[in-house]
């Protein structure tokens, strides 16, 4: 519920900022990314799919603030499957799976803005949850504060769209006392799409 409340608060903040600045206010930017997790320090830490969705509100030209939701698959372990009657090896199957999700308040700075490319740096601070399961049965779950930093290289397109690549590092302050295999650091590489509407759109 906290994450969805944050989304509503971000939308409201965008409306307030736009209203207070009059017709010259920049429209909010929708941000979506899809890629892969890398270098997770937990077990399993083989990586997997990564995705995020956010809404950023431009403020004072080069700055933007908003909220992003993230889902990161941290990895799936494999185990040998054998016939219980004969002991014959039947191959390898997925075993323990670990993933993390949550939401972060984010700030972004535009480091370079040209006609052909833009370079952004971002930082986030929020709350996330990490779970491990075996074929759908949750074995362990923990929640904690998260922090992240990212760099995005974007190529502007028509009608407010932009496409590019985002590299990010995330730190989850998850306790490892109960499970030392929990991941606390990982990275993501993703293709990113952005859209900023205009009054005519």
């Amino acid at each position: 519920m906290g994450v969805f409340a944050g989304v509503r608060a971000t939308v409201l903040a965008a409306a307030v900022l736009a209203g207070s600045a009059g017709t010259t206010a920049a429209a909010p930017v929708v941000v979506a990314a899809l890629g892969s997790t890398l270098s997770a320090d937990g077990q399993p830490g083989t990586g997997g799919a990564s995705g995020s969705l956010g809404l950023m509100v431009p403020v004072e030209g080069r700055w933007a603030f908003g909220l992003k939701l993230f889902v990161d698959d941290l990895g799936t372990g494999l185990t040998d499957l054998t016939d219980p009657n004969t002991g014959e090896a039947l191959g390898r199957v997925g075993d323990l799976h670990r993933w993390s999700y949550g939401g972060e308040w984010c700030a972004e700075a535009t480091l370079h803005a040209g006609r052909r490319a833009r370079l952004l740096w971002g930082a986030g601070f929020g709350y996330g949850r990490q779970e491990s399961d075996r074929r759908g049965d949750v074995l362990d779950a923990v929640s904690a504060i998260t922090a992240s930093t990212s760099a995005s290289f974007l190529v502007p397109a028509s009608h407010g769209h932009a496409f590019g690549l985002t590299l990010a590092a995330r730190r989850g302050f998850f306790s490892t006392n109960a499970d030392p295999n929990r991941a606390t650091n990982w990275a993501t590489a993703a293709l990113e799409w952005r859209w900023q509407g205009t009054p005519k759109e």
Side-chain angles (χ1 to χ4, degrees):
M1 293 297 293
V3 170
F4 293 105
V7 173
R8 292 195 295 270
T10 301
V11 173
L12 179 60
V16 171
L17 287 171
S20 63
T23 58
T24 61
V29 181
V30 178
V31 184
L34 184 63
S36 176
T37 56
L38 308 165
S39 304
D41 62 358
Q43 293 296 329
T46 54
S50 171
S52 65
L53 178 65
L55 182 69
M56 302 299 295
V57 182
V59 178
E60 297 297 330
R62 66 188 297 251
W63 293 97
F65 300 91
L67 177 75
K68 291 184 181 181
L69 308 178
F70 68 88
V71 178
D72 294 331
D73 188 338
L74 302 175
T76 300
L78 298 176
T79 187
D80 294 320
L81 181 65
T82 58
D83 189 303
N85 297 317
T86 65
E88 179 184 0
L90 301 178
R92 309 199 78 190
V93 296
D95 188 41
L96 186 67
H97 168 250
R98 189 177 298 277
W99 67 305
S100 184
Y101 59 93
E104 291 183 340
W105 292 103
C106 300
E108 286 184 344
T110 300
L111 304 181
H112 171 76
R115 295 181 58 187
R116 298 185 178 180
R118 299 205 308 264
L119 181 62
L120 310 177
W121 171 81
F125 184 80
Y127 200 70
R129 186 168 179 82
Q130 186 172 136
E131 296 183 356
S132 62
D133 65 86
R134 180 173 285 112
R135 289 180 283 280
D137 295 328
V138 177
L139 306 178
D140 177 71
V142 63
S143 300
I145 292 171
T146 63
S148 66
T149 185
S150 64
S152 301
F153 177 80
L154 301 170
V155 176
S158 60
H159 304 294
H161 297 277
F163 302 89
L165 175 66
T166 295
L167 302 176
R170 176 165 284 110
R171 164 74 173 176
F173 295 89
F174 302 108
S175 171
T176 58
N177 292 334
D179 183 358
N181 292 320
R182 290 171 179 166
T184 56
N185 294 281
W186 63 93
T188 61
L191 297 176
E192 185 171 289
W193 163 78
R194 293 186 176 223
W195 177 72
Q196 183 177 24
T198 66
K200 293 182 179 181
E201 294 174 325

